[in-house]
């Protein structure tokens, strides 16, 4: 997550004409839907959930044009939408939520105030991150959490120092709470390719210092197959992407040599890990050369982020696009051509009708392309108060947890039957 000055972007209002056919990946039904209910040739209307039926290319088209979905059906037994999934359709391997707090105090220039890290655990006077994760798993079916943490917190502000055992023990409490739910858990170093403004391998920390950090973390968790290594959150304005891939290689080699030989490792590109510019700005080709010590790329997954708001910043509560044409479709093409996979470890939006619409579309597209997309992780719960515009923090009352509407409508695997 990063902050950008709001850019003014004009978006042409899409006028939906009920007489026309919905485009590929467009909505074609669902509760209260008043737009087109038939799909363009080559696509079929698939019930994604009660609120969202979608034209999916390759899905069997309805056999008659008169029995269109009514838009008020609440079951998937309506006659016209096809239940035949496209060839690459999900389920996605992972769906999850970011549990933020240990990254608080980190800025996008790679400075982090270690003492500002706020563990999202009640024993450290934070939110009940453990309860949140249990709820997300048990009530919603989520199976992965991303646990951001600042590099400075892990070494208590000393670049090149060993892990600070006191601080690691606190972070490890969150990691164990996550693992205790049965979910997979992403360790995310939330430093934007930097330590205090200096870029790793390009004037800032050396590759050796970065590798040392990952070597020590990996040694702590090497025996746990459910740990996923998020090498770095959102590199940006990195001048030399080929050189950056060398720094990523140093981290991968360190993780594998520390004994974490089979876990997933997430490889982050430039431009805030943008899914949209991952291929076009050179990150894909550069990171495609990173390998395991044995020369294979097994378990090395491309890490991509994408928000749906007007300036791509993930700071606005209204969404303007589903990112399919601009980001996910071109990325899927590259991934298939290169036999690679990607994981969308940050996405989110407000609890608004526009974000529910576009997020449901984005999730449906990822599910329809689950051969190359491992899944998504929403931003964010943990220590974010419910007033934070992108809060996915559930509220608890009388022992019962209640999700925000974006989670219950789109992100929850239960919503995406
Ligand atoms: C559908 O529309 C009706 C009437 O406007 C409204 O009361 C109801 O809340 C809507 N349902 C949903 C799920 O949005
Ligand atoms: C570890 O960090 C704590 C702050 O959380 C600090 O008080 C302590 O001195 C550090 N330990 C070492 C060995 O540097
Ligand atoms: C695109 O890549 C070049 C280096 O390859 C880098 O200098 C530039 O900052 C990148 N642009 C973005 C937006 O990341
Ligand atoms: C960075 O990514 C955003 C979209 O995520 C895009 O609007 C912007 O143009 C990109 N910058 C460059 C230089 O590629």
């Amino acid at each position: 997550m990063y902050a950008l000055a709001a850019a003014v972007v004009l978006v042409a209002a899409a006028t939906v004409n009920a007489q026309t056919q919905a485009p590929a990946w467009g909505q074609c039904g669902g509760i209260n839907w008043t737009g087109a209910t038939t799909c363009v040739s080559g696509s079929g209307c698939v019930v994604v959930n009660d609120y969202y039926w979608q034209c999916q290319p390759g899905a069997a088209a309805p056999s008659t044009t008169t029995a269109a979905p009514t838009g008020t059906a609440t079951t998937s037994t309506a006659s016209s939408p096809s239940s035949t999934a496209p060839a690459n359709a999900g389920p996605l391997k992972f769906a999850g939520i970011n549990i933020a707090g240990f990254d608080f105090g980190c800025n996008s220039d790679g400075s982090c105030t270690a003492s500002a890290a706020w563990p999202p655990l009640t024993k450290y006077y934070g939110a009940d991150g453990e309860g949140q994760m249990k709820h997300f798993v048990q009530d919603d079916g989520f199976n992965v959490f991303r646990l951001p943490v600042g590099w400075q917190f892990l070494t208590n502000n000393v670049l090149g120092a060993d892990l600070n055992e006191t601080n690691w023990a606190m972070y490890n409490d969150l990691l164990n709470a996550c693992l205790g739910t049965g979910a997979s858990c992403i360790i995310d170093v939330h430093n934007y390719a930097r330590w205090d403004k200096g870029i790793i391998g390009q004037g800032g920390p050396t590759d050796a210092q970065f590798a040392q950090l990952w070597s020590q973390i990996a040694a702590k968790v090497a025996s746990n197959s459910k740990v996923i290594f998020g090498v770095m959150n959102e590199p940006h304005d990195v001048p030399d992407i080929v050189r950056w891939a060398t720094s990523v290689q140093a981290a991968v080699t360190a993780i594998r040599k520390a004994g974490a030989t089979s876990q997933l490792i997430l490889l982050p590109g430039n431009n805030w890990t943008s899914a949209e510019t991952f291929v076009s700005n050179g990150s894909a080709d550069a990171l495609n050369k990173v390998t395991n010590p044995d020369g294979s790329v097994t378990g090395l997954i491309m890490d991509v982020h994408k928000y749906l708001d007007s300036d791509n910043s993930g700071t606005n509560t209204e969404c303007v696009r589903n990112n399919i044409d601009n980001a996910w479709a071109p990325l899927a093409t590259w991934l298939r051509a290169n036999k690679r996979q990607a994981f969308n470890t940050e996405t989110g939006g407000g609890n608004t009708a526009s974000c529910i619409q576009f997020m449901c579309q984005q999730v449906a597209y990822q599910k329809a392309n689950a051969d190359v997309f491992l899944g998504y992780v929403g931003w964010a719960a943990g220590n974010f108060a419910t007033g934070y515009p992108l809060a996915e923090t559930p509220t608890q009352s009388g022992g019962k947890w209640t999700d925000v509407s974006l989670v219950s409508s789109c992100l929850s695997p239960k919503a995406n039957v």
Side-chain angles (χ1 to χ4, degrees):
M1 244 299 289
Y2 65 103
L4 266 191
V8 178
V9 176
L10 296 176
V11 179
T15 41
V16 182
N17 180 339
Q19 303 310 310
T20 62
Q21 292 180 311
W25 304 115
Q27 187 168 1
C28 52
I31 294 170
N32 281 1
W33 173 247
T34 56
T37 53
T38 58
C39 299
V40 291
S41 169
S43 290
C45 191
V46 174
V47 175
V48 175
N49 56 45
D50 289 349
Y51 298 89
Y52 192 72
W53 301 2
Q54 185 182 46
C55 293
Q56 296 188 358
S63 53
T64 131
T65 51
T66 52
T70 62
T72 52
T74 53
T75 72
S76 56
T77 55
S79 59
S80 57
S82 167
S83 57
T84 311
N88 298 320
L92 291 165
K93 192 167 165 53
F94 294 113
I97 303 282
N98 279 272
I99 305 297
F102 276 105
D103 56 314
F104 284 17
C106 287
N107 303 304
S108 61
D109 64 0
S111 60
C112 297
T113 306
S115 59
W118 186 18
L121 292 168
T122 52
K123 75 183 267 199
Y124 300 117
Y125 312 102
D128 185 8
E130 178 166 20
Q132 292 175 15
M133 290 189 281
K134 282 183 179 159
H135 152 69
F136 283 136
V137 169
Q138 291 166 9
D139 300 333
D140 294 331
F142 285 105
N143 64 355
V144 68
F145 298 101
R146 182 168 177 262
L147 312 175
V149 61
W151 186 351
Q152 284 88 340
F153 177 77
L154 293 172
T155 61
N156 201 43
N157 274 325
V158 186
L159 178 61
D162 290 345
L163 289 182
N164 176 293
E165 292 296 340
T166 307
N167 293 2
W168 171 262
M170 294 167 83
Y171 183 72
N172 198 39
D173 281 339
L174 183 67
L175 185 58
N176 283 331
C178 175
L179 292 167
T181 68
S184 293
C185 307
I186 304 170
I187 299 175
D188 159 45
V189 175
H190 213 76
N191 275 68
Y192 305 88
R194 288 160 171 81
W195 173 290
D196 294 352
K197 302 196 169 107
I199 298 177
I200 298 165
Q202 303 187 39
T206 62
D207 287 355
Q209 287 168 328
F210 186 44
Q212 179 200 5
L213 172 74
W214 275 114
S215 178
Q216 295 194 352
I217 294 172
K220 298 270 190 200
V221 298
S223 63
N224 200 309
S225 65
K226 295 226 160 171
V227 169
I228 299 174
F229 299 94
V231 162
M232 180 54 65
N233 177 67
E234 296 189 349
H236 64 89
D237 302 291
V238 174
D240 187 340
I241 190 65
V242 174
R243 181 68 189 76
W244 169 245
T246 307
S247 302
V248 174
Q249 178 68 70
V252 168
T253 302
I255 291 166
R256 293 302 189 219
K257 292 200 164 159
T261 54
S262 60
Q263 289 93 336
L264 300 183
I265 304 180
L266 307 180
L267 313 183
N270 215 344
N271 198 13
W272 315 86
T273 7
S274 164
E276 183 166 353
T277 57
F278 185 74
V279 176
S280 62
N281 203 41
S283 294
D285 284 342
L287 294 172
N288 201 20
K289 298 190 172 70
V290 174
T291 65
N292 293 309
D294 66 4
S296 74
V297 295
T298 310
L300 305 185
I301 305 298
M302 304 305 181
D303 194 359
V304 290
H305 291 180
K306 200 77 193 86
Y307 287 89
L308 304 84
D309 50 351
S310 58
D311 60 3
N312 281 303
S313 67
T315 57
N316 304 291
T317 54
E318 294 292 341
C319 294
V320 302
R321 63 177 76 80
N322 58 26
N323 297 314
I324 294 169
D325 293 341
N326 54 315
W328 300 115
L331 179 58
T333 300
W334 184 91
L335 291 165
R336 270 187 205 107
N338 290 278
K339 301 188 165 52
R340 302 302 298 259
Q341 292 178 310
F343 194 169
N344 177 204
T345 60
E346 271 193 36
T347 190
N351 296 297
T352 55
S354 63
C355 288
I356 288 172
Q357 176 190 332
F358 290 122
M359 181 64 79
C360 282
Q361 292 173 350
Q362 177 176 282
V363 168
Y365 184 85
Q366 292 180 349
K367 285 184 71 177
N369 292 270
D371 59 323
V372 288
F373 297 124
L374 291 191
Y376 56 86
V377 189
W379 183 270
N383 267 338
F384 280 115
T386 49
Y388 170 62
L390 269 57
E392 293 169 0
T393 313
T395 48
Q396 193 188 24
S397 168
K400 187 182 179 310
W401 290 91
T402 303
D403 284 315
V404 300
S405 60
L406 188 69
V407 170
S408 58
S409 305
C410 297
L411 294 173
S412 163
K414 278 227 174 114
N416 288 299
V417 282

